[in-house]
Amino acid sequence: MSFNSVVSQRLGKLESFRTDQSSVIGKTNRGTFKVTVYSDQVIRVCATQHADFENFSYSVIAQPLQQKINIDDQGDHLVLKTNSIHLRIEKNPVQFCFLTSDGKIINEDDRLGISWIGEQVTSYKKLQPGERFIGLGEKTGDLDRRGAAYQNWNTDAYAYNKTTDPMYSSIPFYIGIHQGLCYGIFFDNTHKSY
């Protein structure tokens, strides 16, 4: 495959959606997404270029909420509501925006949203004013991870220094903090990630 033949493709335009016990499953012109409610404060977003999802995780042991979810079709977007979080799902292109119940943005996709280049998937997020990031497991450098790039891949990092990355333990979880709000994102993926 030549470099010129590789094109970035977003999740695309929502064509249809359905709900089940605790999830909304959306079919787009370029893939499928599944949003599952685990509690009033925990929502899982999965996306694939394929028609279905592999229902397996090495790390998530929690079970989804066992009640019907509340989803509202508002024309150009869907709104999923819990007591704590509202998730706005734009339809064209599909993008996800998490809000507090009173409408403050917690975290939102950038205009590219979830995209693929070949088999490589990227999730683009908007940086909120004054936003800071902590986490990602054993990493060198500043506690505030903003402005830096990191690799999630465990390695034996003998004689490491302040710029060594990756290191011994990778935890694909970070906390974002801005404007008196905080949230966490766990990237449930065992592959090497950046």
Side-chain angles (χ1 to χ4, degrees):
M1 178 184 304
S2 74
F3 179 75
N4 293 334
S5 67
V6 178
V7 177
S8 176
Q9 293 199 5
R10 293 188 280 188
L11 193 50
K13 180 180 179 180
L14 183 65
E15 294 179 339
S16 63
F17 73 94
R18 64 180 173 83
T19 60
D20 67 13
Q21 181 66 20
S22 58
S23 301
V24 58
I25 297 106
K27 170 130 178 46
T28 74
N29 61 326
R30 295 194 180 132
T32 308
F33 69 84
K34 182 177 184 179
V35 175
T36 306
V37 178
Y38 281 77
S39 74
D40 283 343
Q41 299 173 339
V42 177
I43 296 176
R44 183 179 191 181
V45 176
C46 298
T48 181
Q49 289 180 302
H50 307 290
D52 205 3
F53 296 91
E54 182 179 315
N55 260 345
F56 175 78
S57 173
Y58 286 105
S59 53
V60 177
I61 59 171
Q63 294 299 311
L65 197 62
Q66 293 302 310
Q67 67 184 43
K68 187 164 172 48
I69 58 169
N70 179 9
I71 187 97
D72 184 23
D73 189 343
Q74 298 189 356
D76 60 348
H77 65 276
L78 305 173
V79 178
L80 183 151
K81 294 182 181 179
T82 72
N83 291 332
S84 302
I85 301 171
H86 293 180
L87 172 58
R88 186 177 68 225
I89 305 169
E90 298 294 331
K91 290 183 178 181
N92 189 19
V94 170
Q95 293 173 219
F96 303 94
C97 180
F98 291 86
L99 303 117
T100 61
S101 57
D102 60 351
K104 295 176 188 163
I105 294 173
I106 300 169
N107 178 272
E108 66 181 318
D109 286 352
D110 189 47
R111 63 182 182 82
L112 293 174
I114 297 172
S115 301
W116 286 267
I117 298 175
E119 293 293 314
Q120 179 181 331
V121 64
T122 304
S123 179
Y124 295 91
K125 301 289 187 182
K126 285 186 182 178
L127 185 64
Q128 300 301 316
E131 190 165 15
R132 300 290 183 218
F133 305 97
I134 59 174
L136 298 178
E138 184 178 31
K139 299 291 182 190
T140 59
D142 296 331
L143 179 61
D144 180 5
R145 307 290 185 205
R146 181 177 171 155
Y150 298 95
Q151 183 179 138
N152 289 310
W153 192 248
N154 298 349
T155 190
D156 186 0
Y158 173 75
Y160 66 87
N161 61 44
K162 66 180 181 176
T163 61
T164 301
D165 186 59
M167 288 186 49
Y168 300 99
S169 175
S170 298
I171 301 172
F173 174 79
Y174 72 86
I175 296 171
I177 305 165
H178 66 89
Q179 302 167 336
L181 300 170
C182 68
Y183 64 91
I185 291 184
F186 175 67
F187 183 55
D188 186 17
N189 188 324
T190 58
H191 298 278
K192 185 183 287 189
S193 62
Y194 302 87

